[in-house]
Amino acid sequence: MDGLLATRSDLVDPMGAAVIAAAHLDLCHDSRTFARIFGVAHALVIRAVTTLSDEAGLLEVEHRSERSQRIRYRLTSRGQALAAPVAAWASARPATEA
């Protein structure tokens, strides 16, 4: 994730880098699920997703729920290119023992 942070540290903070990496690795594609999986406040995820979509152009918002405030998103082509090293890193790691 250091590479994600180094590219535009003013727009991609550690939370944003985690959102991008999780989307790229198909762990989650919505703000509520990210917040639940990683144990962070949903409001912080909403802020990161909004910055990544509106200011950085790395995410595209597919749906916003007025009731739950859940934001469904996907990586833009720019976000995919930025996250490509994450997949290479993840696939190069040895499997952990159970």
Side-chain angles (χ1 to χ4, degrees):
M1 282 197 279
D2 291 336
L4 291 172
L5 292 170
T7 50
R8 289 287 309 269
S9 61
D10 57 325
L11 295 176
V12 182
D13 61 3
M15 178 72 73
V19 168
I20 291 168
H24 190 73
L25 296 171
D26 285 329
L27 297 176
C28 53
H29 295 278
D30 73 80
S31 57
R32 284 255 181 226
T33 302
F34 183 95
R36 182 178 41 80
I37 288 173
F38 293 101
V40 295
H42 185 231
L44 296 176
V45 182
I46 290 172
R47 181 182 301 157
V49 169
T50 301
T51 299
L52 293 170
S53 63
D54 295 353
E55 297 175 30
L58 300 171
L59 293 179
E60 179 181 333
V61 172
E62 294 182 322
H63 179 74
R64 290 180 195 262
S65 171
E66 293 293 323
R67 186 180 60 80
S68 69
Q69 296 185 344
R70 179 185 306 250
I71 302 173
R72 295 191 192 282
Y73 52 84
R74 68 174 191 82
L75 291 171
T76 62
S77 57
R78 191 168 161 229
Q80 290 172 355
L82 184 64
V86 172
W89 173 82
S91 65
R93 293 193 66 204
T96 57
E97 294 182 42

